[in-house]
Amino acid sequence: MLSTLDLNGTWRLRWSDGERGRVEYANRPETDEARYIDAQVPGEVHLDLWRAGLIEDPYVGTNCLKARWVEECYWAYRRWFEAPRITGHAWLVFERLDLVARIFLNGELVGTHQNVFYPCRIEVTGKLKPGRNLLTVHIEGGLFEVMDKPMAGFLRKLDQRLHKGVWLRKPQCQFSWDWSTRLINVGITGNVRLEWTTDPVRLDQLVPLVEVTPDLRTGVVRARLYVEAFRKTRAELIVEVAGRRVAEPVSLGPGMNRVEAVVTVTDPALWWPAGHGPQHLYDVRATLRVRSKEVGTKTARIGFRHVRINQQPHPQKGRYFIVEINGKKIFCKGANLVPADMIFQRCDRARYDTLTDRAREANFNLLRVWGGGQYESDDFYELCDLKGILVWQEFIFACHKYPVVHKEFLDDVVKEATWNIRRLASHPSLIVWCGNNEMEWGAWDWGFDQGAMTYPDYALFHLTLPRLLREEDPTRFYWPSSPYSLDGEHPNADHTGDQHPWSVGFANLDFRDYRKMECRFPNEGGFLGPTALPTMLACLPEGHRHVQSFAWQIHDNSIDSWGEPSYPDGILPLWTGLKTRELPVVDYTYWGGLIQGEALSEYIRNFRRRMFDSAAAIFWMFNDCWPATRSWTIVDYYLRRTPSFHPVRRAMVPVTVVVAAQDDHVAIFGINDTDSSVVADLRYGIFELTGNYPLDRTERVTLEANASTQLAAFPRSLWRDSRSSLAFAMLSRDGELLARHRLVLPLFKELRWPPARVTVRVERGRAIFSSPTFVWGVCLDLDGERLLADNFFDLFPGIPYSIPWSDRRPPKVLYTGNLHKIARRA
């Protein structure tokens, strides 16, 4: 059996900028302790320096700039450990090193590593002393490694001349992205241990490949076990799952071997995405015996589900792109996940647990793991398995050209991809492997076909990775890029493949254009807005608490710099007539959040009403990696709900209504994600902002299961004054409101707004809001920490609206959006 010695805990850490400090002195048994600080392993150098008081909190104010010196240094970790007398094979294992590391044992160089995406395993057989041993790691974040790397043909941004990040196999957003500052991580960021064995073999990865027949009656588990053998030997592989046991004789040769056994399970309990059924999981246990002796066991959790990506021809144009699980069409609702922290070692299970809870609270069933971040931790995928959240997983390439023409780089990428394909194979939540983010689009439109390097990475996504998936995990669907289209179409064509509908959100701020979009699988598109108020204030120290202060610019999305005048500064003037730079931060948080919520709701509701001509409503983006003043997100860095969270949550509810203008009529659609039809009462028509209902109809309607159904319509000619009135729909069952929606045709500043006249009372555990006039954007909270039933909601004239409320005192209305004058804070 394999024995282990945990080498986590407190190490000692020293620095060198090349002139001061000498990392090589850390290899000496005796060293000057005054030159060291304590460091936690696993950990990260910025965190150790922060604890030691040598840098300030890099997340707040402008402190990230003060910490830039950290990435410009070499660092040396050291620790002593006691080793037993080892007669067999032995290894040092570093689960994650960020990034360029040289590992020394008792002063001898024993290994190097420079890829954060797979572990470093170093054989140290015969190099350990019985008793005390000194382990040293020299490490830097990558800047020194790439100093001599060529960038001709790879440059897209000025800062790439400094960091040359495309050469470094670590999260690309560490080098800054529009939503993140540059903070290049460095350190021993994963677990460390010593392993040894006297057995003739060592068990490596267990890779259970799970398939279900189309009739859902039979599940097949092909359990692959990777085994390192030190000599030729015979063994027995025993695999157990769902009460079944299969034993296979296997032959092993020196080196890494792949052995497998197949287990068939009749009528397995199926795994379903959230909202469509339970998430049944099974344990797989693989045991290897050599000469009747058990030498090791590996376990994994799996789920049985049948996955199909339906790309049949569409009757009008192009092809469908529909995710089908267990024979059922799934409308995918969700957003893009970016790394949960700019210091990646802080992404622990508790953080992922809260993020996935927030995703379910927002009625998501899918998260797209974007290609500029990382292959997420096991914790993330385990939680998605448990909560029914589908995962679109990308290989870690985004928006640039990469030096794949260099064989050493390519070989390392193949090693990285192989490890992660195997690592993630057990997870039923993972349904798609995608080659990259937007690089196919770059090849068509951004000049990737020009310059000194033309298509340097194209074969990776169209040849190497699909071949690798076919060999390592043929059960998974592979898609070369996002967006991408079949049949030689433009990669961002609306009528085939997946789309990134970014014609709104940058220079074009009129999100009414979302209403025209017919995308088969919208996978990324968004609109900027503020984060929660306490997060906004954390970004802005005293003296900086105004729009476009220096600290604001540091924490702002870089889209702000893409045009002059600033694109995002133009959002509020366009929609409300308010001047962004004249607003206090607290007022901006309300108004900016109100408009972002409107934009994202338009995006989501447009695609949902087109179900399954459009088969997704996935927006950019879900979460932040650091505090931002303006971001794309509904959950900010501190895991607070941003002002746009509840409008998105309402737009994603399983049963809802959408009011849409179509040519000469207004149509009301009922969207039903559930497996059963819904019979309900529909009230719809037109209300005036001042309170009258010139068109007010009711019908008994049926929303078909897992479908969008047009429930009603009325002529546009009946809506004579769209500046003084809105079209509306309300769906109720047994007197309980299920959903409601209203359609606004002009810009909000063009409406003839009456004053907001809100009354609030508490009865029988509910807060009841009412107004004789229409009220836009009732805000109860800007902090985003409380679990509220609703926030940023409207009041229809004369119709009470209630939410659960446990306090005897009624909630305080902080803001409303009626623009008869600048809304005052109550």
Side-chain angles (χ1 to χ4, degrees), residues 205-211 219-225 237-246 260-265 281-287 297-304 425-428:
Q205 290 176 285
L206 171 62
V207 183
L209 304 178
V210 181
E211 294 185 279
V220 178
V221 181
R222 182 176 300 276
R224 290 178 171 174
L225 184 64
L237 174 63
I238 302 165
V239 176
E240 300 166 275
V241 58
R244 288 162 173 76
R245 182 179 186 274
V246 170
E260 62 182 50
V262 177
V263 181
T264 300
V265 178
L281 297 171
Y282 290 81
D283 292 322
V284 177
R285 181 182 180 89
T287 302
T297 296
K298 292 282 185 178
T299 61
R301 298 197 84 188
I302 62 168
F304 290 98
S426 64
H427 295 287

Side-chain angles (χ1 to χ4, degrees), residues 170-424:
K170 64 190 301 181
Q172 295 295 280
C173 57
Q174 285 188 11
F175 306 106
S176 82
W177 220 266
D178 63 280
W179 38 268
S180 175
T181 190
R182 189 180 87 230
L183 193 136
I184 300 175
N185 290 196
V186 57
I188 303 175
T189 56
N191 295 317
V192 184
R193 63 185 176 272
L194 175 68
E195 295 182 352
W196 68 94
T197 185
T198 57
D199 293 327
V201 299
R202 178 189 65 83
L203 275 56
D204 199 70
Q205 290 176 285
L206 171 62
V207 183
L209 304 178
V210 181
E211 294 185 279
V212 177
T213 55
D215 64 6
L216 310 181
R217 299 297 304 274
T218 305
V220 178
V221 181
R222 182 176 300 276
R224 290 178 171 174
L225 184 64
Y226 289 84
V227 181
E228 182 182 9
F230 311 123
R231 59 178 182 270
K232 188 174 181 180
T233 188
R234 293 185 177 277
E236 182 183 41
L237 174 63
I238 302 165
V239 176
E240 300 166 275
V241 58
R244 288 162 173 76
R245 182 179 186 274
V246 170
E248 292 284 354
V250 296
S251 297
L252 304 172
M256 190 63 72
N257 298 259
R258 186 178 80 188
V259 297
E260 62 182 50
V262 177
V263 181
T264 300
V265 178
T266 303
D267 293 324
L270 299 176
W271 185 95
W272 290 91
H276 296 278
Q279 291 76 50
H280 292 292
L281 297 171
Y282 290 81
D283 292 322
V284 177
R285 181 182 180 89
T287 302
L288 194 72
R289 294 178 178 272
V290 176
R291 298 191 183 92
S292 300
K293 176 191 173 185
E294 182 177 316
V295 294
T297 296
K298 292 282 185 178
T299 61
R301 298 197 84 188
I302 62 168
F304 290 98
R305 81 283 185 274
H306 183 274
V307 179
R308 176 182 181 234
I309 307 300
N310 180 347
Q311 295 190 81
Q312 292 179 335
H314 190 278
Q316 295 176 346
K317 187 178 182 182
R319 296 174 179 270
Y320 289 102
F321 195 101
I322 303 172
V323 173
E324 297 179 0
I325 306 293
N326 302 328
K328 180 183 178 182
K329 296 178 182 178
I330 306 296
F331 189 93
C332 295
K333 301 181 298 183
N336 284 255
L337 182 89
V338 301
D341 204 297
M342 69 173 180
I343 300 179
F344 289 66
Q345 203 277 326
R346 302 183 87 191
C347 299
D348 59 11
R349 189 178 184 93
R351 192 165 185 82
Y352 285 122
D353 197 21
T354 300
L355 278 170
T356 49
D357 279 350
R358 294 279 190 272
R360 290 297 305 122
E361 183 185 349
N363 295 300
F364 287 12
N365 61 18
L366 184 144
L367 288 169
R368 173 180 173 234
V369 180
W370 169 77
Q374 65 177 345
Y375 309 96
E376 292 291 347
S377 75
D378 294 338
D379 289 327
F380 169 75
Y381 301 98
E382 289 170 7
L383 290 163
C384 288
D385 293 345
L386 291 167
K387 299 177 186 183
I389 300 173
L390 299 170
V391 175
W392 172 297
Q393 175 68 52
E394 294 182 354
F395 291 97
I396 307 306
F397 299 92
C399 297
H400 296 290
K401 294 191 280 188
Y402 289 84
V404 180
V405 289
H406 292 259
K407 188 175 186 307
E408 183 180 357
F409 186 92
L410 172 62
D411 290 346
D412 195 45
V413 165
V414 169
K415 197 171 181 179
E416 162 196 319
T418 301
W419 171 266
N420 284 288
I421 292 167
R422 293 174 183 177
R423 178 174 71 92
L424 301 181

Side-chain angles (χ1 to χ4, degrees), residues 400-566:
H400 296 290
K401 294 191 280 188
Y402 289 84
V404 180
V405 289
H406 292 259
K407 188 175 186 307
E408 183 180 357
F409 186 92
L410 172 62
D411 290 346
D412 195 45
V413 165
V414 169
K415 197 171 181 179
E416 162 196 319
T418 301
W419 171 266
N420 284 288
I421 292 167
R422 293 174 183 177
R423 178 174 71 92
L424 301 181
S426 64
H427 295 287
S429 56
L430 197 160
I431 58 167
V432 172
W433 272 107
C434 177
N436 65 72
N437 174 75
E438 296 188 343
M439 291 167 60
E440 189 83 12
W441 195 355
W444 280 65
D445 291 348
W446 301 353
F448 286 14
D449 58 341
Q450 301 170 18
M453 283 293 172
T454 302
Y455 306 131
D457 44 33
Y458 203 76
L460 175 65
F461 308 113
H462 292 271
L463 183 64
T464 305
L465 290 177
R467 282 181 174 177
L468 193 61
L469 260 297
R470 185 174 62 188
E471 173 64 22
E472 296 291 343
D473 186 358
T475 72
R476 288 315 197 290
F477 177 81
Y478 175 73
W479 195 238
S481 185
S482 180
Y484 184 75
S485 299
L486 297 179
D487 306 321
E489 298 278 3
H490 186 281
N492 208 24
D494 286 342
H495 54 275
T496 182
D498 73 315
Q499 295 76 36
H500 292 191
W502 278 117
S503 59
V504 173
F506 298 151
N508 177 16
L509 303 173
D510 191 344
F511 50 75
R512 292 173 297 183
D513 287 351
Y514 285 138
R515 300 171 185 173
K516 310 169 190 174
M517 293 183 181
E518 300 180 9
C519 301
R520 295 288 177 248
F521 198 89
N523 216 357
E524 177 186 319
F527 206 84
L528 284 168
T531 54
L533 181 58
T535 304
M536 298 284 286
L537 297 177
C539 298
L540 306 173
E542 293 295 336
H544 291 259
R545 290 192 169 173
H546 58 274
V547 177
Q548 293 297 351
S549 69
F550 184 66
W552 176 287
Q553 293 175 42
I554 295 299
H555 289 266
D556 199 0
N557 193 284
S558 74
I559 302 303
D560 174 67
S561 302
W562 287 18
E564 286 193 5
S566 159

Side-chain angles (χ1 to χ4, degrees), residues 600-609 617 619 648 651-652:
L600 293 177
S601 295
E602 290 279 6
Y603 179 96
I604 295 161
R605 292 179 188 274
N606 172 67
F607 297 122
R608 290 195 70 193
R609 76 175 178 85
F619 66 89
V648 166
M652 295 278 197

Side-chain angles (χ1 to χ4, degrees), residues 65-131:
L65 302 181
K66 301 177 189 178
R68 288 269 170 94
W69 64 272
V70 178
E71 66 196 40
E72 299 170 4
C73 292
Y74 266 102
W75 299 89
Y77 287 81
R78 66 181 259 143
R79 69 156 292 166
W80 292 93
F81 66 93
E82 296 285 333
R85 183 177 298 277
I86 296 173
T87 57
H89 289 266
W91 302 265
L92 285 168
V93 180
F94 297 82
E95 291 187 358
R96 191 174 172 107
L97 288 166
D98 197 351
L99 176 69
V100 181
R102 304 173 74 224
I103 298 95
F104 296 83
L105 180 62
N106 298 318
E108 177 187 353
L109 178 66
V110 292
T112 62
H113 195 74
Q114 51 184 358
N115 191 316
V116 79
F117 298 130
Y118 64 86
C120 172
R121 174 177 290 275
I122 303 167
E123 183 157 6
V124 291
T125 303
K127 298 181 183 299
L128 289 157
K129 301 175 183 177

Side-chain angles (χ1 to χ4, degrees), residues 776-815:
W776 178 37
V778 175
C779 172
L780 306 181
D781 175 71
L782 286 174
D783 292 350
E785 295 174 350
R786 286 190 293 167
L787 178 61
L788 294 174
D790 207 356
N791 197 17
F792 281 80
F793 54 83
D794 297 340
L795 299 180
F796 289 6
I799 301 176
Y801 179 72
S802 68
I803 62 173
W805 191 258
S806 58
D807 198 328
R808 292 181 179 179
R809 296 168 298 178
K812 184 178 182 181
V813 175
L814 302 181
Y815 285 88

Side-chain angles (χ1 to χ4, degrees), residues 362 364 600 619 621-622 633-635 640-642 644-645 648:
F364 287 12
L600 293 177
F619 66 89
M621 59 191 199
F622 176 48
T633 59
I634 66 167
V635 177
R640 297 172 178 132
R641 301 163 186 85
T642 72
S644 61
F645 179 91
V648 166

